Amino acid sequence: MSAPNKSYDPVEVEALKPEEIERMRDEALAAFAAAGDLDALQEAKVAHTGGTSPLALANREIGALPPHAKADAGKRVGQARGAVNKALAARQTELEAERDARVLVEEAVDVTLPYDRVPAGARHPLTTMMERVSDVFVSMGYEIAEGPEVEAEWFNFDALNFTPDHPARQMQDTFFVQGAKGADSDGESGVVLRTHTSPVQARALLDREPPVYVVCPGRVYRTDELDATHTPVFHQIELLAVDEGLTMADLKGTLDHMVQSLFGADMKTRLRPNYFPFTEPSAEMDMLCYVCKGESVGNPDRSCRTCSSEGWIELGGCGMVNPRVLIACGVDPEKYSGFAFGFGIERMLMFRHNVEDMRDMVEGDVRFTRPFGMEI
Ligand code: DAH
């Protein structure tokens, strides 16, 4: 049995030489110092403290040393690894602090900046008002009917018993659509921009078999200049009921129901004689002033701006459908009768919401529409 090799010199194991251990330690420290971010530090960590790092490999060599040399070498390697781990932890803390500071700056939110959401729009009060009025009739069983804004003269006038020389046909009221001028054409197209929603009455009667109960909201055109009380494009609501046995009492009851639904239970309407070609008899319809309820009449202490102390507000026209209209639309006037009315939405909006200038309704400025926006 051979004696232990007392003359074994640990420095002969290359990796365990003190200067080698020092070099490994210094390389590790330099690599950590050079790591510019946490990713780079992670790479340096694997290279210098991992299972195959020079110091780990050197550590494994210790086992091969004779006992008296093990302690020395173990101490040297242990100290070097301790210094490396300490430097790694310090650099880790440093780089984490740097990252946190950078993220705080990069991802900072300035809560004092003005918000840049697209502001919500608002529904136009004319639309809301038309829907509100239509709803009153829909809940009574009426159907919504629509017609074209570019309308045949026949529907706009002839079917409604306007004679060819009726003043409403003349240029000062009606926008005529120009036709082609040629050898066999005088440039008259027979087409107009509808001047009222009444042509929808004729369309509805031709489309359906009586009984007919329709309400027709829509846009109409007249050759007016835009000013505080006129606009060439405006809106009307038309109503038509054709059935067996309808009378003026049904018309009056329907009008009263409408103003009560829109303005309150104590409202009423009154009729004054008038003339329209498509109704006979015809009437102008007024509603009780919803502000003073008529109390301003003859009462100087209680003057009313809404109705100019007249007690009534003019709404529009109405009447019993002229039998000539029924005949033009193929309805037997011996069997059926009907009533109709029509009025302007702009006017109703003006007095209901104290809008003083019609141009506000036309211009589309959201500052005008927004206060109405919550109305359903
Ligand atoms: N179309 C008429 C106008 O624009 C209003 C009107 C009057 C409609 C009498 C009707 C009615 O339905 O019966 O002035």
Side-chain angles (χ1 to χ4, degrees):
M1 195 178 127
S2 58
N5 181 2
K6 295 253 175 166
S7 64
Y8 181 90
D9 181 355
V11 295
E12 279 175 18
V13 177
E14 189 65 16
L16 291 173
K17 284 182 181 168
E19 59 273 25
E20 264 307 293
I21 301 285
E22 262 171 46
R23 187 187 58 75
M24 290 172 195
R25 183 199 62 199
D26 292 347
E27 264 178 20
L29 299 189
F32 296 157
D37 58 32
L38 288 165
D39 286 343
L41 186 64
Q42 178 62 23
E43 273 176 38
K45 176 184 174 180
V46 173
H48 294 280
T49 66
T52 56
S53 64
L55 278 171
L57 294 178
N59 197 47
R60 271 191 234 156
E61 299 287 336
I62 295 173
L65 296 179
H68 72 275
K70 274 185 184 164
D72 238 18
K75 193 176 163 199
R76 261 201 307 280
V77 174
Q79 278 176 347
R81 294 181 98 189
V84 167
N85 284 335
K86 208 171 143 198
L88 174 66
R91 187 65 180 144
Q92 177 90 18
T93 311
E94 212 170 86
L95 288 176
E96 276 173 1
E98 260 178 51
R99 179 205 54 198
D100 290 349
R102 192 178 60 248
V103 165
L104 276 180
V105 172
E106 281 172 2
E107 295 179 10
V109 175
D110 182 352
V111 293
T112 66
L113 282 178
Y115 71 96
D116 59 354
R117 279 198 317 188
V118 179
R123 306 190 70 208
H124 199 284
L126 285 171
T127 314
T128 331
M129 178 66 87
M130 281 206 287
E131 286 181 4
R132 180 183 275 251
V133 178
S134 303
D135 279 353
V136 171
F137 296 108
V138 168
S139 68
M140 291 168 77
Y142 281 73
E143 196 187 331
I144 304 268
E146 285 179 317
E149 290 172 23
V150 180
E151 181 59 288
E153 248 182 276
W154 188 84
F155 280 109
N156 198 77
F157 295 125
D158 301 76
L160 299 173
N161 194 34
F162 282 85
T163 49
D165 56 353
H166 193 282
R169 292 202 186 219
Q170 299 311 303
M171 280 305 217
Q172 72 267 20
D173 267 329
T174 308
F175 282 112
F176 288 87
V177 176
Q178 204 171 27
K181 273 199 180 122
D184 52 354
S185 167
D186 53 8
E188 281 180 18
S189 66
V191 175
V192 298
L193 298 187
R194 68 178 178 192
T195 57
H196 51 177
T197 43
S198 303
V200 189
Q201 288 189 24
R203 288 183 172 274
L205 286 177
L206 285 168
D207 276 358
R208 299 166 175 75
E209 288 300 317
V212 171
Y213 289 88
V214 291
V215 58
C216 331
R219 193 176 290 138
V220 301
Y221 302 82
R222 288 193 199 165
T223 55
D224 284 324
E225 292 293 331
L226 179 65
D227 63 27
T229 52
H230 296 89
T231 155
V233 184
F234 57 104
H235 299 78
Q236 288 186 336
I237 279 215
E238 188 84 14
L239 180 128
L240 172 72
V242 172
D243 204 340
E244 289 182 47
L246 291 181
T247 70
M248 205 99 179
D250 298 303
L251 166 62
K252 182 71 166 69
T254 307
L255 289 173
D256 282 347
H257 175 74
M258 175 180 78
V259 295
Q260 283 159 11
S261 304
L262 293 172
F263 295 95
D266 51 353
M267 287 294 292
K268 56 185 180 183
T269 56
R270 76 172 180 188
L271 302 181
R272 288 177 289 120
N274 197 1
Y275 171 77
F276 296 102
F278 41 97
T279 39
E280 181 58 38
S282 301
E284 202 69 41
M285 51 181 181
D286 296 344
M287 65 174 213
L288 194 63
C289 173
Y290 65 97
V291 175
C292 72
K293 302 276 159 65
E295 282 168 20
S296 65
V297 182
N299 187 353
D301 300 333
R302 173 91 172 75
S303 69
C304 179
R305 281 170 56 207
T306 306
C307 65
S308 311
S309 300
E310 293 192 356
W312 296 91
I313 297 170
E314 194 179 310
L315 255 191
C318 64
M320 298 305 290
V321 179
N322 192 318
R324 298 175 76 123
V325 174
L326 295 177
I327 292 168
C329 299
V331 176
D332 180 1
E334 298 295 326
K335 188 170 180 204
Y336 294 104
S337 60
F339 61 82
F341 62 78
F343 59 86
I345 298 292
E346 276 79 359
R347 249 184 65 74
M348 183 176 268
L349 197 68
M350 284 181 101
F351 59 71
R352 195 172 191 273
H353 292 284
N354 293 324
V355 178
E356 280 174 4
D357 196 323
M358 256 194 200
R359 284 168 289 200
D360 287 337
M361 299 183 200
V362 176
E363 281 164 0
D365 189 327
V366 75
R367 286 172 298 180
F368 169 73
T369 46
R370 203 177 281 136
F372 301 92
M374 298 308 289
E375 232 186 305
I376 317 165

